[in-house]
Amino acid sequence: MIGGACRSRSSACTDSRPTNSGPTLLWDGEWEITYVTFRDMGAAFGAAILGIYVLVVAQFRSFKLPLVILTPIPLTLIGILIGHWLLGAPFTATSMIGFIALAGIIVRILILLVDFIRHSGGQGKPLREVVLEAGRGAVQSRSCSPRSRP
């Protein structure tokens, strides 16, 4: 019936399905919307990562340091996919939004840690001590709410 409606509406529209093959499954609708959503979010995420890389290069005047900062992002995606697989959950658009948000949080925290390490490293302390101090400072700043501070 769809082929008949298509032919009556427009002569340019052709029905390429065989007429006597029985029911046909078409992957349109929700799958197409999902594909377009993932494609668009992936492109936007790629552009955001490139923008972050350029901004971090400008801030730290180094081409290697932004790569260190952005390295956890693919590792996060691997962990998210393994978690979805273990739980049997599909990777949906909501999962993709959560991944993008998590990547933003990771980048923000790492920029702060790297900046702290760079500023503290010139004081003659060993690198290990500076890195541990930066980690302690990051944990303390997130665990102390305004109410719990003395």
Side-chain angles (χ1 to χ4, degrees), residues 81-110:
L81 292 176
I82 290 171
H84 277 77
W85 176 71
L86 287 174
L87 295 174
F91 190 77
T92 62
T94 306
S95 303
M96 183 74 165
I97 292 169
F99 167 63
I100 292 170
L102 181 61
I105 292 168
I106 289 170
V107 167
R108 182 182 69 101
I109 291 170
L110 286 176

Side-chain angles (χ1 to χ4, degrees), residues 1-65:
M1 294 303 159
I2 294 175
C6 183
R7 280 189 281 273
S8 67
R9 224 175 68 210
S10 166
S11 61
C13 182
T14 60
D15 188 10
S16 60
R17 293 179 289 157
T19 55
N20 58 358
S21 66
T24 304
L25 181 63
L26 298 175
W27 293 99
D28 288 341
E30 186 175 342
W31 283 107
E32 184 177 355
I33 291 170
T34 302
Y35 170 75
V36 169
T37 301
F38 273 102
R39 183 195 66 200
D40 293 347
M41 281 197 294
F45 183 66
I49 292 296
L50 183 63
I52 290 169
Y53 179 81
V54 169
L55 289 172
V56 174
V57 165
Q59 179 180 356
F60 292 119
R61 304 205 190 308
S62 168
F63 289 102
K64 289 189 228 175
L65 203 52

